[in-house]
Amino acid sequence: MSRATLSRPSDLPMRVQDSNRMSMVYTTPQSKQPSFGKLNIPKPQSVTSERRTSFFGARTSGASMPRNSTMSGFGGTEKIKDARPLHDKSYVQQCIRQLHEFLSEQGYPGTLSAKTLQSPSTKEFVKMFEFIYRQLDPTFEMPNSKVEEEVPAILKALRYPFVLSKCSMYSVGAPHTWPQALGALMWLIDNVKINWSLSKQELLFSDFCEDNDNIEEGAEYNKLFVDYTAETYSKFMQGDDTFEDEDESFLTKLKKLYNVDEVLLTSMEEKHRILSDEVERLEKESQTDRLMTKRMEKVKLQADLKKLQSYRSSLESFKANLENKASEVTDELETTVSHLESLKHERDELQRLLQNQKFTPADVERINREKKELQQTISSLNKSLEDAEQHKWNEEIALAKVKEKAELKVAEYHKLARKLKLIPVSAENACGHDFEIKPFECGPNSMVQHKTQIQMLLRKLISDVEEENGRLANMNLSLEESCEQFNSNILDKSNDLKQLREQIRKLDERLDSDMQELAQEEQDWAVEMESVENHRKLLEKKVNYGYDESVQQLKAAQQQYHLVLQETNEERRTVANNLASVFTTAANHLSITEKCLEDLHSRVQRVCSKAVEEDTAAVQKMQETLKSFKSKATCL
């Protein structure tokens, strides 16, 4: 039992109603926490073997023991059925995502993609298997031949509870073999995570052990573990599901056995709490920028909402106008229909009179003529109705075009006003006035009034701009005059400068002889500086050589540490002491190297400072010589 399992009430399963319970130790990748213990997973035995009797003897029948034991005795054999839903597509996709995350986090050197992990080739599967297995054994190298036999053999050596056949390795990406291979990779990843947790716990609890006899594999620990297991299992068989008292007594005995420092644990918890508070504070501070972006998005959405509301109001007003026109046309149509009905009624009465009376040919001709006139009247009325509807449609189209043109002109006006910083009211050049045109929110009279108001404000703004432009033009003229005056002054100064240059040229000719002597001295100084530079490079080379040697020693020590980590606890402790001595030697060597570098740096600084002082003295001497020459020249 590992120390990490002490945080949960018990390692034994909870009670369930089904008598044929199955252990979920090999379930991957569900949210159940793994039992961080040794990787001693029992190897599956023959299928025909039966369950053996419980290690703790036969149970007495009674109401207080309502369960059947599903645990085999120590050394018992049982066929383990794979309870993972490997043929469920959602479960397989979940495993593929976890595999992709693990490989990406650990720096997998090959190419990773969702399409590749859906049906990988045998070569890609072997690369992934080798990369994951190297997390357990960094010295592992996959052989180039008989890879199909090597992978099942390694899984069998790790006591993988299920069978991965050699034939399935020839077609790993097939739909019927990839789920089983994926399950093996997920099981191997779980073992890697358990191994990492064990390594962290061993580093955490390494100070609690005084000697090599107090590790988990000692006799005292085994005795405590067997007693704890016997007590909890006997209570489990009696119907209990929690074992808080046994866990507490077991923890107390373990703390006493390993000499756990409660003060150290309390201080570590306090440090963890302080760091958690700091992380939470930093996370809250990092979210302020996101809040600001969300507020900006809210402001933009509110502006868009106002625009949509204004557009909606304009559409509603346009719809109301169309409804008014439609109601007028409908009324006109109703009057026309009623007139048509009256004409039809008169026609029916005339036909009835015609049938009941005897008419002369003159009456018949008159009636037919009246009938033709009525028909012409009906056709003219229908034509006028169609013309009215067509006129209505044309008016609506023209109104829509006029509205669209007006909206375009208003949009251009608003765009130009934004460039000139006139919109919104809080703009720089708006001066608190509203220059925005809202064409469809008010009536025509208010629109004209708003237009005149904006025109007056714009004229005032144009007059202000023209005044400012005139003021700037006057200022520009004054600046040009001053510039011309400066140019004349520059010409005068340039003439004076030519005379001074002529004098300087004469002095330069006198100084050439002195400069040649100084050049000879500078060459001597350059030779001396080159020798100092060569000496400095030689020292740097020696320092770099010593540093590379110490780095190589450090790398060799780290490789030795990773190799020895796989051995027994006793060898691990010995190698830790060796590594401590190696690190001490390397640190001493680095400190000595740093001291040597500091001494060399101080020497070089002294040499450089001395050279700079001598150069300064020489320059001062040259300046004095130059002053004497100038004084003599002025005397001449």
PDB file of all heavy atoms in Angstrom, residues 259-292:
ATOM      1  N   ASN A 259       8.376   8.444  11.606  1.00  0.00           N
ATOM      2  CA  ASN A 259       8.809   9.662  12.320  1.00  0.00           C
ATOM      3  C   ASN A 259       8.391  10.920  11.546  1.00  0.00           C
ATOM      4  O   ASN A 259       9.203  11.771  11.174  1.00  0.00           O
ATOM      5  CB  ASN A 259      10.321   9.662  12.535  1.00  0.00           C
ATOM      6  CG  ASN A 259      10.768   8.529  13.438  1.00  0.00           C
ATOM      7  OD1 ASN A 259      10.052   8.161  14.369  1.00  0.00           O
ATOM      8  ND2 ASN A 259      11.929   7.967  13.158  1.00  0.00           N
ATOM      9  N   VAL A 260       7.106  11.028  11.269  1.00  0.00           N
ATOM     10  CA  VAL A 260       6.581  12.155  10.502  1.00  0.00           C
ATOM     11  C   VAL A 260       6.642  13.427  11.349  1.00  0.00           C
ATOM     12  O   VAL A 260       6.243  13.431  12.517  1.00  0.00           O
ATOM     13  CB  VAL A 260       5.133  11.884  10.058  1.00  0.00           C
ATOM     14  CG1 VAL A 260       4.561  13.093   9.333  1.00  0.00           C
ATOM     15  CG2 VAL A 260       5.086  10.659   9.159  1.00  0.00           C
ATOM     16  N   ASP A 261       7.162  14.474  10.746  1.00  0.00           N
ATOM     17  CA  ASP A 261       7.280  15.771  11.420  1.00  0.00           C
ATOM     18  C   ASP A 261       5.994  16.568  11.162  1.00  0.00           C
ATOM     19  O   ASP A 261       5.754  17.074  10.059  1.00  0.00           O
ATOM     20  CB  ASP A 261       8.499  16.517  10.877  1.00  0.00           C
ATOM     21  CG  ASP A 261       8.804  17.756  11.709  1.00  0.00           C
ATOM     22  OD1 ASP A 261       8.025  18.040  12.643  1.00  0.00           O
ATOM     23  OD2 ASP A 261       9.802  18.427  11.408  1.00  0.00           O
ATOM     24  N   GLU A 262       5.121  16.661  12.172  1.00  0.00           N
ATOM     25  CA  GLU A 262       3.853  17.371  12.028  1.00  0.00           C
ATOM     26  C   GLU A 262       4.067  18.862  11.806  1.00  0.00           C
ATOM     27  O   GLU A 262       3.333  19.520  11.067  1.00  0.00           O
ATOM     28  CB  GLU A 262       2.995  17.153  13.289  1.00  0.00           C
ATOM     29  CG  GLU A 262       2.559  15.716  13.515  1.00  0.00           C
ATOM     30  CD  GLU A 262       1.508  15.290  12.508  1.00  0.00           C
ATOM     31  OE1 GLU A 262       0.929  16.178  11.837  1.00  0.00           O
ATOM     32  OE2 GLU A 262       1.264  14.080  12.386  1.00  0.00           O
ATOM     33  N   VAL A 263       5.101  19.406  12.452  1.00  0.00           N
ATOM     34  CA  VAL A 263       5.376  20.846  12.295  1.00  0.00           C
ATOM     35  C   VAL A 263       5.750  21.157  10.840  1.00  0.00           C
ATOM     36  O   VAL A 263       5.311  22.147  10.257  1.00  0.00           O
ATOM     37  CB  VAL A 263       6.511  21.270  13.246  1.00  0.00           C
ATOM     38  CG1 VAL A 263       6.848  22.743  13.048  1.00  0.00           C
ATOM     39  CG2 VAL A 263       6.113  20.997  14.688  1.00  0.00           C
ATOM     40  N   LEU A 264       6.568  20.253  10.229  1.00  0.00           N
ATOM     41  CA  LEU A 264       6.944  20.444   8.829  1.00  0.00           C
ATOM     42  C   LEU A 264       5.732  20.375   7.905  1.00  0.00           C
ATOM     43  O   LEU A 264       5.573  21.179   6.994  1.00  0.00           O
ATOM     44  CB  LEU A 264       7.977  19.393   8.421  1.00  0.00           C
ATOM     45  CG  LEU A 264       8.453  19.431   6.970  1.00  0.00           C
ATOM     46  CD1 LEU A 264       9.125  20.762   6.671  1.00  0.00           C
ATOM     47  CD2 LEU A 264       9.404  18.283   6.683  1.00  0.00           C
ATOM     48  N   LEU A 265       4.849  19.406   8.183  1.00  0.00           N
ATOM     49  CA  LEU A 265       3.641  19.293   7.365  1.00  0.00           C
ATOM     50  C   LEU A 265       2.761  20.528   7.516  1.00  0.00           C
ATOM     51  O   LEU A 265       2.202  21.040   6.541  1.00  0.00           O
ATOM     52  CB  LEU A 265       2.857  18.037   7.778  1.00  0.00           C
ATOM     53  CG  LEU A 265       3.463  16.692   7.392  1.00  0.00           C
ATOM     54  CD1 LEU A 265       2.618  15.573   7.936  1.00  0.00           C
ATOM     55  CD2 LEU A 265       3.594  16.567   5.881  1.00  0.00           C
ATOM     56  N   THR A 266       2.637  21.048   8.741  1.00  0.00           N
ATOM     57  CA  THR A 266       1.819  22.247   8.957  1.00  0.00           C
ATOM     58  C   THR A 266       2.392  23.443   8.224  1.00  0.00           C
ATOM     59  O   THR A 266       1.670  24.227   7.587  1.00  0.00           O
ATOM     60  CB  THR A 266       1.738  22.541  10.460  1.00  0.00           C
ATOM     61  OG1 THR A 266       1.278  21.371  11.142  1.00  0.00           O
ATOM     62  CG2 THR A 266       0.770  23.684  10.726  1.00  0.00           C
ATOM     63  N   SER A 267       3.738  23.585   8.301  1.00  0.00           N
ATOM     64  CA  SER A 267       4.374  24.703   7.594  1.00  0.00           C
ATOM     65  C   SER A 267       4.198  24.571   6.083  1.00  0.00           C
ATOM     66  O   SER A 267       3.958  25.565   5.386  1.00  0.00           O
ATOM     67  CB  SER A 267       5.855  24.765   7.948  1.00  0.00           C
ATOM     68  OG  SER A 267       6.512  23.584   7.512  1.00  0.00           O
ATOM     69  N   MET A 268       4.296  23.336   5.554  1.00  0.00           N
ATOM     70  CA  MET A 268       4.091  23.135   4.119  1.00  0.00           C
ATOM     71  C   MET A 268       2.655  23.454   3.711  1.00  0.00           C
ATOM     72  O   MET A 268       2.404  24.045   2.658  1.00  0.00           O
ATOM     73  CB  MET A 268       4.428  21.691   3.743  1.00  0.00           C
ATOM     74  CG  MET A 268       5.896  21.319   3.918  1.00  0.00           C
ATOM     75  SD  MET A 268       6.993  22.294   2.877  1.00  0.00           S
ATOM     76  CE  MET A 268       6.594  21.574   1.296  1.00  0.00           C
ATOM     77  N   GLU A 269       1.674  23.089   4.562  1.00  0.00           N
ATOM     78  CA  GLU A 269       0.281  23.422   4.257  1.00  0.00           C
ATOM     79  C   GLU A 269       0.072  24.934   4.256  1.00  0.00           C
ATOM     80  O   GLU A 269      -0.652  25.474   3.431  1.00  0.00           O
ATOM     81  CB  GLU A 269      -0.634  22.767   5.283  1.00  0.00           C
ATOM     82  CG  GLU A 269      -0.740  21.242   5.134  1.00  0.00           C
ATOM     83  CD  GLU A 269      -1.598  20.625   6.213  1.00  0.00           C
ATOM     84  OE1 GLU A 269      -2.045  21.389   7.110  1.00  0.00           O
ATOM     85  OE2 GLU A 269      -1.810  19.395   6.167  1.00  0.00           O
ATOM     86  N   GLU A 270       0.715  25.630   5.218  1.00  0.00           N
ATOM     87  CA  GLU A 270       0.590  27.082   5.259  1.00  0.00           C
ATOM     88  C   GLU A 270       1.190  27.724   4.010  1.00  0.00           C
ATOM     89  O   GLU A 270       0.612  28.652   3.418  1.00  0.00           O
ATOM     90  CB  GLU A 270       1.297  27.602   6.511  1.00  0.00           C
ATOM     91  CG  GLU A 270       1.171  29.108   6.708  1.00  0.00           C
ATOM     92  CD  GLU A 270      -0.262  29.527   7.005  1.00  0.00           C
ATOM     93  OE1 GLU A 270      -1.058  28.666   7.429  1.00  0.00           O
ATOM     94  OE2 GLU A 270      -0.580  30.713   6.788  1.00  0.00           O
ATOM     95  N   LYS A 271       2.374  27.200   3.577  1.00  0.00           N
ATOM     96  CA  LYS A 271       2.984  27.712   2.344  1.00  0.00           C
ATOM     97  C   LYS A 271       2.084  27.454   1.140  1.00  0.00           C
ATOM     98  O   LYS A 271       1.936  28.310   0.270  1.00  0.00           O
ATOM     99  CB  LYS A 271       4.340  27.054   2.122  1.00  0.00           C
ATOM    100  CG  LYS A 271       5.416  27.510   3.101  1.00  0.00           C
ATOM    101  CD  LYS A 271       6.736  26.820   2.811  1.00  0.00           C
ATOM    102  CE  LYS A 271       7.826  27.256   3.804  1.00  0.00           C
ATOM    103  NZ  LYS A 271       9.102  26.559   3.550  1.00  0.00           N
ATOM    104  N   HIS A 272       1.474  26.242   1.118  1.00  0.00           N
ATOM    105  CA  HIS A 272       0.569  25.917   0.004  1.00  0.00           C
ATOM    106  C   HIS A 272      -0.634  26.850  -0.017  1.00  0.00           C
ATOM    107  O   HIS A 272      -1.070  27.321  -1.074  1.00  0.00           O
ATOM    108  CB  HIS A 272       0.122  24.462   0.125  1.00  0.00           C
ATOM    109  CG  HIS A 272      -0.813  24.023  -0.958  1.00  0.00           C
ATOM    110  ND1 HIS A 272      -2.187  24.079  -0.824  1.00  0.00           N
ATOM    111  CD2 HIS A 272      -0.567  23.568  -2.220  1.00  0.00           C
ATOM    112  CE1 HIS A 272      -2.754  23.663  -1.927  1.00  0.00           C
ATOM    113  NE2 HIS A 272      -1.800  23.345  -2.791  1.00  0.00           N
ATOM    114  N   ARG A 273      -1.166  27.160   1.174  1.00  0.00           N
ATOM    115  CA  ARG A 273      -2.316  28.066   1.238  1.00  0.00           C
ATOM    116  C   ARG A 273      -1.938  29.460   0.743  1.00  0.00           C
ATOM    117  O   ARG A 273      -2.677  30.103  -0.016  1.00  0.00           O
ATOM    118  CB  ARG A 273      -2.827  28.132   2.673  1.00  0.00           C
ATOM    119  CG  ARG A 273      -4.101  28.972   2.847  1.00  0.00           C
ATOM    120  CD  ARG A 273      -4.487  29.047   4.308  1.00  0.00           C
ATOM    121  NE  ARG A 273      -3.451  29.705   5.091  1.00  0.00           N
ATOM    122  CZ  ARG A 273      -3.287  31.031   5.121  1.00  0.00           C
ATOM    123  NH1 ARG A 273      -4.072  31.824   4.405  1.00  0.00           N
ATOM    124  NH2 ARG A 273      -2.338  31.556   5.857  1.00  0.00           N
ATOM    125  N   ILE A 274      -0.751  29.946   1.168  1.00  0.00           N
ATOM    126  CA  ILE A 274      -0.306  31.291   0.753  1.00  0.00           C
ATOM    127  C   ILE A 274      -0.113  31.343  -0.759  1.00  0.00           C
ATOM    128  O   ILE A 274      -0.529  32.287  -1.441  1.00  0.00           O
ATOM    129  CB  ILE A 274       0.992  31.657   1.498  1.00  0.00           C
ATOM    130  CG1 ILE A 274       0.715  31.816   2.992  1.00  0.00           C
ATOM    131  CG2 ILE A 274       1.588  32.943   0.929  1.00  0.00           C
ATOM    132  CD1 ILE A 274       1.955  31.956   3.840  1.00  0.00           C
ATOM    133  N   LEU A 275       0.520  30.278  -1.308  1.00  0.00           N
ATOM    134  CA  LEU A 275       0.733  30.256  -2.761  1.00  0.00           C
ATOM    135  C   LEU A 275      -0.581  30.161  -3.523  1.00  0.00           C
ATOM    136  O   LEU A 275      -0.741  30.764  -4.589  1.00  0.00           O
ATOM    137  CB  LEU A 275       1.638  29.066  -3.127  1.00  0.00           C
ATOM    138  CG  LEU A 275       3.098  29.177  -2.648  1.00  0.00           C
ATOM    139  CD1 LEU A 275       3.844  27.889  -2.944  1.00  0.00           C
ATOM    140  CD2 LEU A 275       3.805  30.337  -3.324  1.00  0.00           C
ATOM    141  N   SER A 276      -1.555  29.399  -2.979  1.00  0.00           N
ATOM    142  CA  SER A 276      -2.870  29.299  -3.634  1.00  0.00           C
ATOM    143  C   SER A 276      -3.560  30.657  -3.662  1.00  0.00           C
ATOM    144  O   SER A 276      -4.156  31.044  -4.663  1.00  0.00           O
ATOM    145  CB  SER A 276      -3.735  28.277  -2.904  1.00  0.00           C
ATOM    146  OG  SER A 276      -3.129  27.011  -2.918  1.00  0.00           O
ATOM    147  N   ASP A 277      -3.485  31.393  -2.519  1.00  0.00           N
ATOM    148  CA  ASP A 277      -4.083  32.731  -2.491  1.00  0.00           C
ATOM    149  C   ASP A 277      -3.414  33.661  -3.500  1.00  0.00           C
ATOM    150  O   ASP A 277      -4.073  34.454  -4.169  1.00  0.00           O
ATOM    151  CB  ASP A 277      -3.959  33.322  -1.078  1.00  0.00           C
ATOM    152  CG  ASP A 277      -4.758  32.523  -0.055  1.00  0.00           C
ATOM    153  OD1 ASP A 277      -5.688  31.810  -0.491  1.00  0.00           O
ATOM    154  OD2 ASP A 277      -4.452  32.591   1.149  1.00  0.00           O
ATOM    155  N   GLU A 278      -2.082  33.556  -3.622  1.00  0.00           N
ATOM    156  CA  GLU A 278      -1.359  34.399  -4.578  1.00  0.00           C
ATOM    157  C   GLU A 278      -1.762  34.084  -6.012  1.00  0.00           C
ATOM    158  O   GLU A 278      -1.960  34.983  -6.840  1.00  0.00           O
ATOM    159  CB  GLU A 278       0.146  34.179  -4.395  1.00  0.00           C
ATOM    160  CG  GLU A 278       1.023  35.085  -5.250  1.00  0.00           C
ATOM    161  CD  GLU A 278       0.950  36.538  -4.844  1.00  0.00           C
ATOM    162  OE1 GLU A 278       0.489  36.813  -3.694  1.00  0.00           O
ATOM    163  OE2 GLU A 278       1.325  37.403  -5.647  1.00  0.00           O
ATOM    164  N   VAL A 279      -1.901  32.757  -6.311  1.00  0.00           N
ATOM    165  CA  VAL A 279      -2.314  32.343  -7.659  1.00  0.00           C
ATOM    166  C   VAL A 279      -3.713  32.843  -7.965  1.00  0.00           C
ATOM    167  O   VAL A 279      -4.004  33.328  -9.067  1.00  0.00           O
ATOM    168  CB  VAL A 279      -2.228  30.806  -7.780  1.00  0.00           C
ATOM    169  CG1 VAL A 279      -2.903  30.351  -9.067  1.00  0.00           C
ATOM    170  CG2 VAL A 279      -0.782  30.347  -7.774  1.00  0.00           C
ATOM    171  N   GLU A 280      -4.612  32.752  -6.979  1.00  0.00           N
ATOM    172  CA  GLU A 280      -5.983  33.225  -7.190  1.00  0.00           C
ATOM    173  C   GLU A 280      -6.003  34.728  -7.430  1.00  0.00           C
ATOM    174  O   GLU A 280      -6.722  35.232  -8.292  1.00  0.00           O
ATOM    175  CB  GLU A 280      -6.822  32.872  -5.964  1.00  0.00           C
ATOM    176  CG  GLU A 280      -8.295  33.203  -6.109  1.00  0.00           C
ATOM    177  CD  GLU A 280      -9.097  32.766  -4.892  1.00  0.00           C
ATOM    178  OE1 GLU A 280      -8.485  32.185  -3.960  1.00  0.00           O
ATOM    179  OE2 GLU A 280     -10.300  33.017  -4.878  1.00  0.00           O
ATOM    180  N   ARG A 281      -5.170  35.470  -6.675  1.00  0.00           N
ATOM    181  CA  ARG A 281      -5.112  36.917  -6.861  1.00  0.00           C
ATOM    182  C   ARG A 281      -4.599  37.276  -8.257  1.00  0.00           C
ATOM    183  O   ARG A 281      -5.132  38.157  -8.930  1.00  0.00           O
ATOM    184  CB  ARG A 281      -4.209  37.530  -5.794  1.00  0.00           C
ATOM    185  CG  ARG A 281      -4.146  39.054  -5.836  1.00  0.00           C
ATOM    186  CD  ARG A 281      -3.207  39.578  -4.757  1.00  0.00           C
ATOM    187  NE  ARG A 281      -1.844  39.143  -4.988  1.00  0.00           N
ATOM    188  CZ  ARG A 281      -1.025  39.710  -5.854  1.00  0.00           C
ATOM    189  NH1 ARG A 281      -1.417  40.737  -6.584  1.00  0.00           N
ATOM    190  NH2 ARG A 281       0.214  39.269  -6.013  1.00  0.00           N
ATOM    191  N   LEU A 282      -3.536  36.555  -8.681  1.00  0.00           N
ATOM    192  CA  LEU A 282      -2.988  36.827 -10.017  1.00  0.00           C
ATOM    193  C   LEU A 282      -3.993  36.487 -11.109  1.00  0.00           C
ATOM    194  O   LEU A 282      -4.074  37.178 -12.129  1.00  0.00           O
ATOM    195  CB  LEU A 282      -1.701  36.021 -10.204  1.00  0.00           C
ATOM    196  CG  LEU A 282      -0.510  36.464  -9.328  1.00  0.00           C
ATOM    197  CD1 LEU A 282       0.652  35.502  -9.499  1.00  0.00           C
ATOM    198  CD2 LEU A 282      -0.076  37.864  -9.667  1.00  0.00           C
ATOM    199  N   GLU A 283      -4.756  35.406 -10.922  1.00  0.00           N
ATOM    200  CA  GLU A 283      -5.774  35.053 -11.922  1.00  0.00           C
ATOM    201  C   GLU A 283      -6.845  36.132 -12.009  1.00  0.00           C
ATOM    202  O   GLU A 283      -7.306  36.483 -13.095  1.00  0.00           O
ATOM    203  CB  GLU A 283      -6.396  33.702 -11.566  1.00  0.00           C
ATOM    204  CG  GLU A 283      -5.460  32.516 -11.807  1.00  0.00           C
ATOM    205  CD  GLU A 283      -6.103  31.202 -11.410  1.00  0.00           C
ATOM    206  OE1 GLU A 283      -7.210  31.250 -10.821  1.00  0.00           O
ATOM    207  OE2 GLU A 283      -5.492  30.138 -11.685  1.00  0.00           O
ATOM    208  N   LYS A 284      -7.234  36.674 -10.840  1.00  0.00           N
ATOM    209  CA  LYS A 284      -8.240  37.736 -10.870  1.00  0.00           C
ATOM    210  C   LYS A 284      -7.698  38.984 -11.559  1.00  0.00           C
ATOM    211  O   LYS A 284      -8.399  39.651 -12.308  1.00  0.00           O
ATOM    212  CB  LYS A 284      -8.651  38.078  -9.436  1.00  0.00           C
ATOM    213  CG  LYS A 284      -9.504  37.004  -8.770  1.00  0.00           C
ATOM    214  CD  LYS A 284      -9.903  37.415  -7.358  1.00  0.00           C
ATOM    215  CE  LYS A 284     -10.773  36.340  -6.698  1.00  0.00           C
ATOM    216  NZ  LYS A 284     -11.141  36.712  -5.316  1.00  0.00           N
ATOM    217  N   GLU A 285      -6.410  39.306 -11.307  1.00  0.00           N
ATOM    218  CA  GLU A 285      -5.816  40.464 -11.971  1.00  0.00           C
ATOM    219  C   GLU A 285      -5.713  40.268 -13.476  1.00  0.00           C
ATOM    220  O   GLU A 285      -5.858  41.196 -14.260  1.00  0.00           O
ATOM    221  CB  GLU A 285      -4.424  40.730 -11.388  1.00  0.00           C
ATOM    222  CG  GLU A 285      -4.467  41.261  -9.968  1.00  0.00           C
ATOM    223  CD  GLU A 285      -3.064  41.484  -9.405  1.00  0.00           C
ATOM    224  OE1 GLU A 285      -2.109  41.166 -10.131  1.00  0.00           O
ATOM    225  OE2 GLU A 285      -2.943  41.973  -8.270  1.00  0.00           O
ATOM    226  N   SER A 286      -5.439  39.004 -13.893  1.00  0.00           N
ATOM    227  CA  SER A 286      -5.307  38.739 -15.327  1.00  0.00           C
ATOM    228  C   SER A 286      -6.641  38.813 -16.048  1.00  0.00           C
ATOM    229  O   SER A 286      -6.684  38.930 -17.260  1.00  0.00           O
ATOM    230  CB  SER A 286      -4.685  37.355 -15.540  1.00  0.00           C
ATOM    231  OG  SER A 286      -5.526  36.342 -15.044  1.00  0.00           O
ATOM    232  N   GLN A 287      -7.749  38.735 -15.294  1.00  0.00           N
ATOM    233  CA  GLN A 287      -9.070  38.766 -15.925  1.00  0.00           C
ATOM    234  C   GLN A 287      -9.596  40.180 -16.122  1.00  0.00           C
ATOM    235  O   GLN A 287     -10.657  40.368 -16.684  1.00  0.00           O
ATOM    236  CB  GLN A 287     -10.064  37.970 -15.070  1.00  0.00           C
ATOM    237  CG  GLN A 287      -9.808  36.466 -15.089  1.00  0.00           C
ATOM    238  CD  GLN A 287     -10.743  35.703 -14.186  1.00  0.00           C
ATOM    239  OE1 GLN A 287     -11.579  36.314 -13.505  1.00  0.00           O
ATOM    240  NE2 GLN A 287     -10.618  34.397 -14.161  1.00  0.00           N
ATOM    241  N   THR A 288      -8.864  41.193 -15.641  1.00  0.00           N
ATOM    242  CA  THR A 288      -9.355  42.562 -15.800  1.00  0.00           C
ATOM    243  C   THR A 288      -9.374  42.982 -17.258  1.00  0.00           C
ATOM    244  O   THR A 288     -10.281  43.654 -17.725  1.00  0.00           O
ATOM    245  CB  THR A 288      -8.480  43.521 -14.980  1.00  0.00           C
ATOM    246  OG1 THR A 288      -7.113  43.327 -15.387  1.00  0.00           O
ATOM    247  CG2 THR A 288      -8.608  43.236 -13.494  1.00  0.00           C
ATOM    248  N   ASP A 289      -8.358  42.575 -18.009  1.00  0.00           N
ATOM    249  CA  ASP A 289      -8.312  42.929 -19.437  1.00  0.00           C
ATOM    250  C   ASP A 289      -9.486  42.310 -20.175  1.00  0.00           C
ATOM    251  O   ASP A 289     -10.089  42.938 -21.044  1.00  0.00           O
ATOM    252  CB  ASP A 289      -6.999  42.459 -20.039  1.00  0.00           C
ATOM    253  CG  ASP A 289      -5.805  43.207 -19.439  1.00  0.00           C
ATOM    254  OD1 ASP A 289      -6.010  44.333 -18.953  1.00  0.00           O
ATOM    255  OD2 ASP A 289      -4.717  42.650 -19.487  1.00  0.00           O
ATOM    256  N   ARG A 290      -9.831  41.077 -19.847  1.00  0.00           N
ATOM    257  CA  ARG A 290     -10.986  40.440 -20.486  1.00  0.00           C
ATOM    258  C   ARG A 290     -12.265  41.196 -20.160  1.00  0.00           C
ATOM    259  O   ARG A 290     -13.138  41.366 -21.016  1.00  0.00           O
ATOM    260  CB  ARG A 290     -11.087  38.991 -20.025  1.00  0.00           C
ATOM    261  CG  ARG A 290      -9.917  38.109 -20.460  1.00  0.00           C
ATOM    262  CD  ARG A 290     -10.010  36.719 -19.901  1.00  0.00           C
ATOM    263  NE  ARG A 290     -11.249  36.086 -20.287  1.00  0.00           N
ATOM    264  CZ  ARG A 290     -11.706  34.961 -19.751  1.00  0.00           C
ATOM    265  NH1 ARG A 290     -11.033  34.347 -18.815  1.00  0.00           N
ATOM    266  NH2 ARG A 290     -12.841  34.450 -20.152  1.00  0.00           N
ATOM    267  N   LEU A 291     -12.375  41.677 -18.912  1.00  0.00           N
ATOM    268  CA  LEU A 291     -13.555  42.442 -18.545  1.00  0.00           C
ATOM    269  C   LEU A 291     -13.648  43.728 -19.363  1.00  0.00           C
ATOM    270  O   LEU A 291     -14.727  44.115 -19.813  1.00  0.00           O
ATOM    271  CB  LEU A 291     -13.494  42.752 -17.052  1.00  0.00           C
ATOM    272  CG  LEU A 291     -14.681  43.536 -16.474  1.00  0.00           C
ATOM    273  CD1 LEU A 291     -15.970  42.751 -16.655  1.00  0.00           C
ATOM    274  CD2 LEU A 291     -14.445  43.830 -15.000  1.00  0.00           C
ATOM    275  N   MET A 292     -12.504  44.381 -19.583  1.00  0.00           N
ATOM    276  CA  MET A 292     -12.509  45.607 -20.375  1.00  0.00           C
ATOM    277  C   MET A 292     -12.932  45.344 -21.809  1.00  0.00           C
ATOM    278  O   MET A 292     -13.706  46.100 -22.402  1.00  0.00           O
ATOM    279  CB  MET A 292     -11.116  46.232 -20.340  1.00  0.00           C
ATOM    280  CG  MET A 292     -11.048  47.595 -21.029  1.00  0.00           C
ATOM    281  SD  MET A 292     -12.131  48.805 -20.238  1.00  0.00           S
ATOM    282  CE  MET A 292     -11.314  48.965 -18.642  1.00  0.00           C
TER     283      MET A 292
END
